[in-house]
């Protein structure tokens, strides 16, 4: 039976961090304060620029006796550079690769089921969950230097969810080992985690004016077993209950029929629906496959704003100024049908207000609102690319045994 959306629990302290410029200093500070363990799971670990600062922090922690475990995805991070493999082995930083790609690459059934989560726990006392990879804001592995920073968010968390995040990473580590993936790993040091709480340092403090205290929150973990629709279900429930405003910022937005109908229904009952989406070309399939769904949304009165300064990688939403989510899940078939994802859902007016203000500013100052009439006049070549992108996406899904209507 599929899991229901979990109840939100109180007692969390949350800090919203925008981009690697805010996330990496907070992460490095927490790692440098670690006394017993650091568990990190990420889709991409890129060692360029400030990404190397995180790597050095992991190395420092391991060299002073902290148990450090790193999991990366086999597509997002197919291999670690030789320089860093050697340093991690010597430290020792333990690391594993989730589902390395074989000779047939992504054509092999199941290979699109990626580990897309971005999670970290330090000493079971502070955690991080969001959409930001270990990747410098001003660097793109495919497009090179960026003139403006990538737009994305993560959360620094203290409270009950930290233990859930820790258990999640531990389970993933054990599963990779059980599946025989250790042939792609490099092991050094003892394998037993230090579980004692004696001598643990308190999590490094965050600026008081940016922390939201006693927040109600829940961790949503999408997998391909019992929690296949948990993140989509949370979105649909919140959208269905919306009465005033829905703001969604999403990098790869190719919503299925249920999501499209929910947004159209909300707009038609008088809810202001605003989408902040990727405005710059990044990947052919994700960029063009999203365009055909815009027509019905625009006709229903949905506002679509395309983010212009840089790549938008945010996976966040705010509804009615109280409900919010921050995480790794896009609203596309790769995230909603195939990938392992992690989102935090929050119900707190102060937190939602902070996130909403940043999204509204991005729409007003850094976005370009799509004109419905101009959309209908888009040229035949663009329409052909859109149809091709949808065909490619559906073919890839068919290989994985999935349909997305």
């Amino acid at each position: 039976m599929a899991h229901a959306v979990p109840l939100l629990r109180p007692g969390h302290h949350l800090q919203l961090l925008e981009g690697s410029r805010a996330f990496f200093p907070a992460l490095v500070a927490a790692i440098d304060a670690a006394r017993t363990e650091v568990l990190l799971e990420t889709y991409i670990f890129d060692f360029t620029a400030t990404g190397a600062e995180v790597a050095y922090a992991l190395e420092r922690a391991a060299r002073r006796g902290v148990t450090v475990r790193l999991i990366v995805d086999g597509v997002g991070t197919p291999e670690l550079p030789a320089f860093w493999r050697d340093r991690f082995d010597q430290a020792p930083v333990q690391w594993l690769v989730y589902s390395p790609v074989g000779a047939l690459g992504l054509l092999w059934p199941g290979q699109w089921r990626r580990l897309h989560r971005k999670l970290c726990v330090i000493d079971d006392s502070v955690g991080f969950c969001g959409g930001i990879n270990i990747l410098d804001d001003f660097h793109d592995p495919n497009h090179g230097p960026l003139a403006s920073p990538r737009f994305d968010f993560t959360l620094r968390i203290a409270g009950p969810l930290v233990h859930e995040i820790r258990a999640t990473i531990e389970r993933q580590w054990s599963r990779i080992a059980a599946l025989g993936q250790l042939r792609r790993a490099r092991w050094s040091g003892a394998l037993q985690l230090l579980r004692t709480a004696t001598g643990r340092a308190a999590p490094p403090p965050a600026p008081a004016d940016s922390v939201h205290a006693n927040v109600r929150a829940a961790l949503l973990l999408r997998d391909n077993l019992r929690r296949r629709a948990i993140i989509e279900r949370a979105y649909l429930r919140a959208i269905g209950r919306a009465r005033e405003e829905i703001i969604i910022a999403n990098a790869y937005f190719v919503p299925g029929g249920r999501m499209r109908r929910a947004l159209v229904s909300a707009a038609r009952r008088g809810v202001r629906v605003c989408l902040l989406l990727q405005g710059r070309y990044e990947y052919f399939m994700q960029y063009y496959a999203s365009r055909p769904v815009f027509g019905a949304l625009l006709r229903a009165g949905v506002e679509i704003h395309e983010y212009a300064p840089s790549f938008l990688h945010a996976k966040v939403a705010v509804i009615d100024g109280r409900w919010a989510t921050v995480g790794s899940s896009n609203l596309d078939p790769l995230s909603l049908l195939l990938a392992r994802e992690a989102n935090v859902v929050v119900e707190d007016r102060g937190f939602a207000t902070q996130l909403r203000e940043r999204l509204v500013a991005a729409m007003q100052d850094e976005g370009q609102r799509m004109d419905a009439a101009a959309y209908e006049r888009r040229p035949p070549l663009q329409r052909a690319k859109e149809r091709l992108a949808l065909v490619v996406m559906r073919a890839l899904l068919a290989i994985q045994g999935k349909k997305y209507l």
Side-chain angles (χ1 to χ4, degrees):
M1 180 181 294
H3 277 212
V5 177
L7 295 176
L8 285 79
R9 292 189 288 167
H12 296 94
H13 287 66
L14 300 182
Q15 182 186 16
L16 183 67
L17 304 170
E18 181 181 340
S20 67
R21 294 156 297 154
F23 173 36
F24 288 0
L27 179 61
V28 168
I31 294 171
D32 283 341
R35 299 290 296 275
T36 58
E37 72 176 14
V38 176
L39 308 179
L40 175 62
E41 185 180 286
T42 185
Y43 180 69
I44 296 173
F45 200 128
D46 187 286
F47 297 85
T48 304
T50 56
E53 296 177 9
V54 178
Y56 281 119
L58 295 175
E59 180 189 10
R60 288 194 299 271
R63 290 189 183 278
R64 65 176 183 270
V66 174
T67 297
V68 180
R69 286 183 165 180
L70 168 66
I71 303 174
V72 298
D73 181 78
V75 170
T77 313
E79 62 180 4
L80 270 62
F83 174 82
W84 282 106
R85 288 201 305 269
D86 293 342
R87 295 190 73 93
F88 281 179
D89 288 350
Q90 293 169 14
V93 172
Q94 304 168 34
W95 60 276
L96 295 176
V97 178
Y98 174 88
S99 190
V101 178
L104 293 178
L106 294 176
L107 294 178
W108 184 258
Q111 282 294 349
W112 283 85
R113 293 184 171 95
R114 307 315 313 172
L115 184 70
H116 196 241
R117 302 184 303 219
K118 292 87 178 176
L119 299 171
C120 185
V121 169
I122 292 93
D123 290 347
D124 206 14
S125 59
V126 61
F128 297 87
C129 176
I132 305 175
N133 290 291
I134 307 302
L135 177 64
D136 187 272
D137 275 345
F138 289 89
H139 169 72
D140 187 274
N142 299 307
H143 298 271
L146 302 177
S148 297
R150 194 178 290 102
F151 188 67
D152 206 347
F153 298 91
T154 200
L155 292 175
R156 182 188 186 275
I157 305 166
L161 291 189
V162 174
H163 186 69
E164 290 187 40
I165 297 172
R166 181 181 186 273
T168 298
I169 302 175
E170 276 203 301
R171 283 195 302 269
Q172 190 62 66
W173 182 278
S174 299
R175 287 168 181 165
I176 295 173
L179 288 170
Q181 306 269 357
L182 296 182
R183 65 185 180 277
R184 291 292 300 269
R186 299 295 186 270
W187 285 78
S188 297
L191 297 182
Q192 183 179 2
L193 286 172
L194 302 176
R195 300 181 182 274
T196 177
T198 305
R200 280 184 180 167
D209 60 354
S210 65
V211 174
H212 302 274
N214 197 28
V215 172
R216 297 176 66 243
L219 178 67
L220 308 184
L221 299 169
R222 194 220 161 267
D223 59 31
N224 290 292
L225 298 172
R226 300 178 66 192
R227 300 181 177 89
R228 288 173 292 182
I230 194 167
I231 293 176
E232 184 178 20
R233 190 178 297 121
Y235 266 100
L236 291 172
R237 177 184 294 179
I239 291 169
R241 295 176 176 177
R243 293 296 175 264
E244 298 175 2
E245 181 184 67
I246 297 168
I247 301 178
I248 296 174
N250 214 252
Y252 308 131
F253 184 79
V254 191
R258 288 185 299 176
M259 184 70 68
R260 295 197 303 271
R261 289 190 293 271
L263 293 172
V264 167
S265 176
R268 287 177 175 168
R269 68 175 182 264
V271 177
R272 184 190 181 204
V273 181
C274 303
L275 305 177
L276 179 62
L277 307 178
Q278 182 82 272
R280 293 182 60 176
Y281 178 90
E282 186 175 15
Y283 302 113
F284 175 84
M285 184 174 68
Q286 288 91 334
Y287 182 82
Y288 283 108
S290 65
R291 264 58 192 162
V293 309
F294 291 169
L297 298 175
L298 289 168
R299 287 191 294 272
V302 174
E303 297 179 24
I304 298 177
H305 302 258
E306 295 187 290
Y307 188 78
S310 187
F311 293 122
L312 181 147
H313 276 196
K315 285 77 67 176
V316 302
V318 179
I319 296 179
D320 285 350
R322 183 173 182 82
W323 184 96
T325 186
V326 176
S328 65
S329 182
N330 291 294
L331 297 178
D332 76 342
L334 301 184
S335 281
L336 296 179
L337 294 180
L338 298 172
R340 293 181 180 271
E341 304 282 5
N343 273 44
V344 172
V345 167
V346 178
E347 283 190 4
D348 180 80
R349 195 164 295 279
F351 177 86
T353 297
Q354 181 190 3
L355 179 56
R356 179 188 181 277
E357 288 176 351
R358 181 62 188 99
L359 297 180
V360 168
M363 287 188 292
Q364 292 177 346
D365 303 331
E366 301 163 296
Q368 297 175 353
R369 183 170 176 177
M370 186 176 293
D371 178 73
Y375 170 82
E376 295 297 339
R377 294 193 304 268
R378 64 198 192 282
L381 179 59
Q382 181 172 333
R383 293 172 185 263
K385 290 179 179 179
E386 294 169 359
R387 288 193 293 271
L388 176 60
L390 274 178
V391 168
V392 171
M393 178 174 285
R394 287 171 177 163
L396 290 172
L397 290 171
I399 292 173
Q400 310 303 315
K402 299 290 185 180
K403 291 183 179 180
Y404 197 63
L405 303 175

